[in-house]
């Protein structure tokens, strides 16, 4: 196993789906409503278009932005030497599968504030007594790959 070989990779979130579908529905709704106004009055209500179009697309963007956030902060790449979660990187040699029972709360790796909806928390320990939490989509394959890499380290 080479040093840069990826043992496990997880990319949560589906930004194309969660931006594309709401934007398409929003565009269809706007075309239908303003097209109906054009057919009835033979003019477009520009004031309504200037207000409603950005408002609808802004609201329709929320699911996509959440999905992009999950992709940024909860992406996992495990190699034979490092575990990278979002913006945090840990050496595999410093990770244990037994989290310590500390009075201080665990540190969520990746940079987010909490484990997102649809993901599960996996608790890990550090050789220095650290307590980490990783948000994963599939805990069993992640733990199996991590156990294999830790055993070889």
């Amino acid at each position: 196993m080479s040093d840069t070989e990826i043992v496990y990779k997880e990319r949560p979130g589906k930004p194309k789906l969660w931006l594309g579908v709401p934007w398409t529905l929003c565009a269809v709704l706007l075309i239908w409503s303003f097209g109906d106004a054009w057919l009835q009055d033979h003019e477009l209500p520009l004031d309504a278009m200037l207000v409603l179009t950005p408002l609808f697309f802004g609201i329709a963007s929320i699911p996509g932005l959440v999905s992009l956030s999950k992709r940024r902060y909860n992406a996992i790449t495990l190699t034979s030497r490092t575990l990278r979660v979002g913006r945090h990187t840990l050496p595999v040699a410093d990770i244990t599968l037994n989290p310590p029972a500390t009075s201080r709360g665990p540190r969520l790796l990746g940079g987010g504030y909490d484990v997102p909806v649809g993901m599960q928390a996996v608790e890990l320990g550090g050789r220095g007594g650290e307590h980490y939490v990783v948000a994963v989509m599939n805990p069993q394959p992640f733990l199996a790959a991590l156990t294999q890499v830790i055993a070889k380290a």
Side-chain angles (χ1 to χ4, degrees), residues 100-106:
T102 61
S103 60
R104 238 178 75 203

Side-chain angles (χ1 to χ4, degrees), residues 16-81:
K16 289 181 184 176
L17 172 71
W18 290 108
L19 282 172
V21 171
W23 282 4
T24 302
L25 293 174
C26 187
V28 168
L29 175 67
L30 289 170
I31 290 169
W32 173 72
S33 62
F34 293 132
D36 190 43
W38 174 259
L39 291 176
Q40 287 180 6
D41 303 330
H42 297 294
E43 64 181 4
L44 290 175
L46 292 178
D47 53 346
M49 287 178 70
L50 289 174
V51 171
L52 294 178
T53 302
L55 178 68
F56 283 4
F57 277 99
I59 291 170
S61 298
I62 292 171
L65 294 174
V66 169
S67 185
L68 285 170
S69 174
K70 285 173 79 171
R71 175 68 52 104
R72 166 72 175 105
Y73 293 113
N74 300 110
I76 298 171
T77 305
L78 176 65
T79 66
S80 59
R81 291 187 178 217

